[in-house]
Amino acid sequence: MEKLSEIFRPSSLSAGQFFIQAGERPTQIGFVVSGLIRLYYVNSAGVEFTKAFCPENHFVAAYSALLLNQPARFFIEALEDTFLLVVDYQAYQQLCAEHACWQTISHRLVEGLFIKKEKREAELLLDDATTRYQTFLAEYPDLENRVKQYHIASYLGISPVSLSRIRKSLNAD
C-alpha cells in the first residue's frame, strides 16, 4: 500500500473536462473517488454512443489503447466535477512487476473488466430495450438522476424518444 500511495496522485476534472480524448495516446489509469465519468464514441456523422459510465469506486482508462500503445478511439469525459487518483501506466506496471500481490490484484481487475465487457455485449445483442433499461437501473441504481436521459438512451442503444416510452410504460405498471 505504501508503494501504491507513492505512485498515485490526486487529480480533479471539472464537469465537461476530458480525462482523454479520441486520437490521444493514453498514459494513465484513473480511479474515481467522487464524481462521474462517461466513456463514449463519436461516429463520422457526429453521433455519440455511450460505452460506459464510471461512478465512484471505478477504474477508468482507455485500456486497450494503453496496452497497444495506440491512440484512444473514444472519449472519457467528466459528467460531474470529479476527483480521481491517477497513476502513470508505466509506474503501475513496474509496481506489478515488483510485487506479486499487485500482479494478483491487477489480474482480478482485468478479469472483472472482461466479464463486464462480455455481459454488455450480450445485453446489446440479445436483450430488448426494456430489459437493457431495467439492467441499467439495477446496475447503476443512483445514476438515473445524475445522468441526462439522452446519455442513458445512447448507452442503451436507443433514441431518447424510445427511452421516454419505456420509462412511461414501466411507470404505468
Side-chain angles (χ1 to χ4, degrees):
M1 290 304 288
E2 183 180 316
K3 290 286 186 189
L4 190 67
S5 68
E6 290 174 10
I7 63 171
F8 272 88
R9 61 180 169 69
S11 180
S12 295
L13 296 172
S14 298
Q17 195 173 7
F18 291 96
F19 184 71
I20 192 161
Q21 295 189 56
E24 296 177 350
R25 287 187 190 268
T27 59
Q28 55 192 13
I29 299 171
F31 179 78
V32 180
V33 176
S34 64
L36 179 61
I37 301 241
R38 178 174 77 116
L39 290 69
Y40 66 97
Y41 295 95
V42 178
N43 71 10
S44 59
V47 178
E48 295 180 3
F49 299 91
T50 299
K51 171 182 169 50
F53 296 104
C54 294
E56 295 80 3
N57 301 314
H58 281 77
F59 282 95
V60 62
Y63 196 65
S64 63
L66 268 174
L67 293 175
L68 299 170
N69 192 29
Q70 295 179 343
R73 296 192 63 188
F74 56 88
F75 296 83
I76 301 176
E77 177 187 21
L79 293 180
E80 301 172 349
D81 291 345
T82 301
F83 178 72
L84 306 124
L85 295 175
V86 177
V87 63
D88 177 78
Y89 182 63
Q90 298 295 341
Y92 180 74
Q93 282 187 310
Q94 184 68 36
L95 176 72
C96 290
E98 293 173 358
H99 301 279
C101 65
W102 287 107
Q103 289 174 11
T104 302
I105 290 168
S106 185
H107 183 75
R108 296 275 165 92
L109 288 171
V110 171
E111 286 176 338
L113 289 173
F114 178 81
I115 290 166
K116 186 175 184 174
K117 181 174 178 51
E118 188 175 274
K119 187 174 182 282
R120 175 93 166 113
E121 282 176 2
E123 289 168 6
L124 289 170
L125 293 170
L126 302 174
D127 294 345
D128 63 39
T130 300
T131 302
R132 290 195 306 272
Y133 178 62
Q134 290 170 321
T135 300
F136 168 80
L137 293 175
E139 289 185 3
Y140 300 107
D142 67 329
L143 286 194
E144 186 172 25
N145 297 322
R146 293 171 66 186
V147 176
K148 294 179 178 166
Q149 293 303 300
Y150 67 88
H151 288 321
I152 295 171
S154 165
Y155 176 77
L156 299 173
I158 60 176
S159 71
V161 172
S162 294
L163 176 57
S164 183
R165 285 187 192 125
I166 290 168
R167 293 177 75 221
K168 186 176 180 180
S169 164
L170 291 174
N171 287 334
D173 293 342

